[in-house]
Amino acid sequence: MTEQVLPKKTHRCDLLPHAMNDGKAAAVRDLLRAWRNTATRIGAEQWRLFFESRAFDKRTKITYPDDPIGAARVQMVRYQVVGMLSSFVTNRANDYRDMVERSSLDKDTRHQLHVINRRKAWFSHKSVTVKDADAPIPDDIRRLARSIMRGVLKRHRKPSMRRINAVVDQRGVAWGPAETATGFPLWATLKTMERRLNAAGQPSKAFGEIHVPLLPYEHYLERPGRRCLGLQVNEADDGTITFGIITETTEEFAGSRGAYAPEKEVVSVDFGLRTMFATDDGDLFGRTWFEKLKRYDVEITALARAVQKAGRKPRHDPAYKAAVKRLRGFVKTEIGRVLNRIVAVKKPKALALEQLNFRSPDLSRRMNRILQNCGRSVIRAKLQDLFERFGITSEEVNPAYSSQECSACGYVDRRNRKQDTFKCLHCGHTAHADVDGARTVRSRRSRPIAQPYLTKAKVLDMLVTQFVERHPDGRVYTGAGPWQSNPYFAKVRRASQRPPDVVAAEPAL
């Protein structure tokens, strides 16, 4: 497992503006509107730079004569836009890598495609040379790389700047404790879009200001760390305005990392909706959350049906949106609580888990879609938090057929699992189905089958091949056993050329 690099850790804490009158609210919305318009223009220009020079550039000064937000805030927007676009392209480069690895191309071609990917030279017109090679990568390989990246980009919507929130640094906002008012602990002074008037009554270069009292949540007051000087201005879909202050906790987390003493090298966990996490030691965490998910499913489905019957869209209904928000809050709270419990009880140095799948046939399609959209990001954010807080690393293994593979003998059969019970039809091994899944995750960690880019067909082929190699006595080919009616072994049976005398000498199971 490769060691991760500790980044600068920040947290955003939302603050509610209190008693912000209509004039102040309109000023904030005017700022957001101008911010988003500038971000849209800068985003288009940055994409042009990307396709021309293969990289975004936050130092490129892109200004417009009619830009009303001022040069300082244009720079803030440019840094924010470049950060969003760079993150998007990095994710697409990972998709490109996985696609190349899943392909049937020869090793040399894949290597050249990976070199192009590492150098982000998919659309570059300059030559690209592999290290220690005599000639640059051929044009047909370059065209293939461009084609692959275009296909990847088409499957993903480019980041839109039309709804981004404004990240304003100390040049555009100031905040701090109240000096005279006692009812509110924090006040923000935000520059608006209106120009101040000079002595002659003419608009000057300086912007006007508004003063907004802020109400912090309890977790903001309790969070340790250094508060950054900037402010994030957010507008929800329903028009609600909130402010966010970034808290840097790098030093605090460095102390907790030093104090954390792992007691176990690796804990393998299997994620599921019936039991949230099962460990390879046999522990079951979060056994009651599926019942709560079903209650949320009934509520959200009923609300959606009623809203649709009235001729409206659920996403525009306040009650429906509130129910979905409660569900997401429950998922985030429960996942955080259970993972904290695993760390407290097991004290692992690393966590191994299968790629996450938030779907269950016992839940509605709407519920599965909501869980799939929010659950995966919640778990990954929590795993990142555990790494930054305690230094606990994590890795994902390929989940294909993990619920059907026996952790004791490696036999894979869909009939091995019956609801929550796992019983291997080959060796008779029995266990809780989720616990056996966690042990399968543990056994896959050091095997090539763990690679997440492998297709299900490739994983199945590897599982069958490995099982046959463990049983060279020939019974898999001819003896009476579960593999005779297992479609996964059909290819092995057809390819078998066992001599008749060997077949007759083999005892039946």
Side-chain angles (χ1 to χ4, degrees):
M1 186 181 304
T2 58
E3 184 66 22
Q4 295 169 293
V5 179
L6 179 65
K8 180 179 179 181
K9 180 61 180 173
T10 59
H11 287 279
R12 194 196 82 190
C13 298
D14 286 339
L15 307 168
L16 286 174
H18 183 78
M20 189 167 64
N21 57 34
D22 294 339
K24 291 183 178 181
V28 173
R29 292 189 175 94
D30 288 342
L31 171 63
L32 282 172
R33 190 179 303 112
W35 193 283
R36 289 163 177 170
N37 290 337
T38 302
T40 300
R41 291 185 289 187
I42 290 178
E45 189 68 18
Q46 288 293 334
W47 275 119
R48 182 186 65 80
L49 290 175
F50 173 77
F51 285 109
E52 288 181 356
S53 60
R54 80 183 188 188
F56 305 110
D57 188 359
K58 64 183 179 181
R59 295 168 296 181
T60 300
K61 295 182 179 180
I62 305 172
T63 58
Y64 303 89
D66 59 339
D67 202 315
I69 68 174
R73 286 189 285 201
V74 166
Q75 186 185 60
M76 301 177 207
V77 176
R78 186 167 63 247
Y79 275 57
Q80 183 180 358
V81 168
V82 170
M84 292 177 59
L85 297 182
S86 299
S87 177
F88 173 79
V89 170
T90 298
N91 291 332
R92 302 294 74 78
N94 293 336
D95 296 337
Y96 172 104
R97 177 202 62 201
D98 295 343
M99 183 175 292
V100 171
E101 283 298 323
R102 288 195 299 265
S103 70
S104 58
L105 297 170
D106 60 87
K107 183 178 179 181
D108 291 339
T109 301
R110 291 202 306 270
H111 178 62
Q112 294 178 58
L113 291 173
H114 285 315
V115 170
I116 296 173
N117 190 43
R118 285 196 298 270
R119 299 182 186 178
K120 298 182 179 180
W122 315 285
F123 306 106
S124 175
H125 299 291
K126 298 180 180 179
S127 62
V128 180
T129 305
V130 179
K131 186 178 180 180
D132 299 330
D134 297 331
I137 296 176
D139 291 340
D140 58 337
I141 304 296
R142 299 292 303 276
R143 286 193 294 269
L144 177 58
R146 285 195 295 270
S147 178
I148 294 174
M149 195 59 183
R150 287 196 188 102
V152 170
L153 290 174
K154 285 182 179 179
R155 295 206 309 267
H156 298 272
R157 185 180 301 173
K158 292 181 181 179
S160 174
M161 307 301 165
R162 297 179 181 178
R163 295 293 299 168
I164 69 169
N165 296 313
V167 180
V168 188
D169 64 22
Q170 62 269 29
R171 293 172 292 176
V173 68
W175 66 271
E179 296 181 359
T180 57
T182 58
F184 310 102
L186 295 173
W187 282 76
T189 302
L190 182 67
K191 290 184 179 181
T192 65
M193 298 303 301
E194 294 185 358
R195 300 281 184 172
R196 290 181 178 177
L197 301 179
N198 56 23
Q202 300 295 325
S204 65
K205 293 183 178 181
F207 290 95
E209 296 177 343
I210 57 173
H211 304 280
V212 182
L214 302 177
L215 287 177
Y217 294 108
E218 183 178 355
H219 71 271
Y220 169 82
L221 298 174
E222 296 176 350
R223 180 175 294 280
R226 180 179 63 85
R227 306 299 191 260
C228 298
L229 299 178
L231 199 70
Q232 183 170 341
V233 185
N234 314 301
E235 183 183 22
D237 293 336
D238 58 0
T240 303
I241 295 175
T242 60
F243 295 92
I245 293 179
I246 304 299
T247 303
E248 182 183 343
T249 55
T250 304
E251 296 181 1
E252 285 70 18
F253 281 6
S256 62
R257 286 166 63 94
Y260 180 73
E263 296 180 359
K264 192 169 183 179
E265 187 68 22
V266 179
V267 171
S268 297
V269 295
D270 177 82
F271 174 81
L273 292 182
R274 291 189 173 275
T275 300
M276 186 187 297
F277 286 110
T279 71
D280 52 342
D281 291 333
D283 304 285
L284 301 175
F285 295 91
R287 285 175 285 182
T288 62
W289 91 308
F290 187 67
E291 296 301 321
K292 296 179 181 178
L293 288 178
K294 289 197 293 186
R295 289 198 291 270
Y296 274 109
D297 190 14
V298 172
E299 177 188 4
I300 290 174
T301 301
L303 285 171
R305 187 180 297 114
V307 172
Q308 290 173 336
K309 189 175 181 180
R312 303 193 308 272
K313 293 184 178 181
R315 66 174 179 268
H316 296 154
D317 182 72
Y320 176 83
K321 291 193 294 185
V324 173
K325 185 177 181 180
R326 289 195 302 272
L327 167 65
R328 290 173 175 168
F330 167 73
V331 171
K332 182 177 180 179
T333 300
E334 283 298 291
I335 288 176
R337 181 186 65 82
V338 170
L339 283 175
N340 286 337
R341 180 62 178 167
I342 292 176
V343 170
V345 172
K346 297 298 180 181
K347 295 189 179 303
K349 184 177 180 180
L351 290 171
L353 64 160
E354 63 184 11
Q355 288 179 301
L356 306 171
N357 182 16
F358 283 79
R359 292 178 182 172
S360 171
D362 296 325
L363 298 175
S364 67
R365 293 177 59 185
R366 181 179 299 273
M367 187 65 168
N368 281 320
R369 183 172 64 252
I370 295 173
L371 290 175
Q372 193 75 6
N373 289 338
C374 76
R376 186 177 301 175
S377 60
V378 167
I379 288 186
R380 288 178 175 170
K382 183 58 183 178
L383 292 175
Q384 181 68 16
D385 178 73
L386 292 176
F387 167 69
E388 292 159 349
R389 192 181 298 270
F390 303 114
I392 300 174
T393 58
S394 60
E395 67 173 341
E396 294 183 354
V397 302
N398 198 309
Y401 300 98
S402 62
S403 62
Q404 304 177 21
E405 180 188 358
C406 176
S407 61
C409 69
Y411 177 67
V412 56
D413 194 319
R414 65 167 57 97
R415 298 167 297 179
N416 282 344
R417 178 164 182 164
K418 300 291 185 181
Q419 291 295 330
D420 294 336
T421 302
F422 186 95
K423 183 175 181 180
C424 180
L425 298 180
H426 170 249
C427 68
H429 166 72
T430 58
H432 188 283
D434 294 329
V435 173
D436 188 81
R439 291 169 180 168
T440 300
V441 170
R442 179 186 60 190
S443 67
R444 288 188 179 187
R445 285 183 62 247
S446 57
R447 295 156 57 191
I449 199 174
Q451 300 300 325
Y453 54 77
L454 294 176
T455 63
K456 292 186 66 176
K458 182 64 175 177
V459 171
L460 178 60
D461 182 67
M462 295 173 69
L463 288 173
V464 172
T465 301
Q466 291 171 2
F467 181 77
V468 171
E469 290 174 349
R470 296 191 195 103
H471 300 79
D473 54 5
R475 290 183 298 169
V476 174
Y477 301 98
T478 58
W483 43 79
Q484 291 294 341
S485 56
N486 187 348
Y488 297 160
F489 285 77
K491 183 178 178 180
V492 174
R493 291 195 298 269
R494 289 194 301 268
S496 175
Q497 299 294 331
R498 305 290 291 176
D501 56 337
V502 177
V503 174
E506 290 174 346
L509 293 180

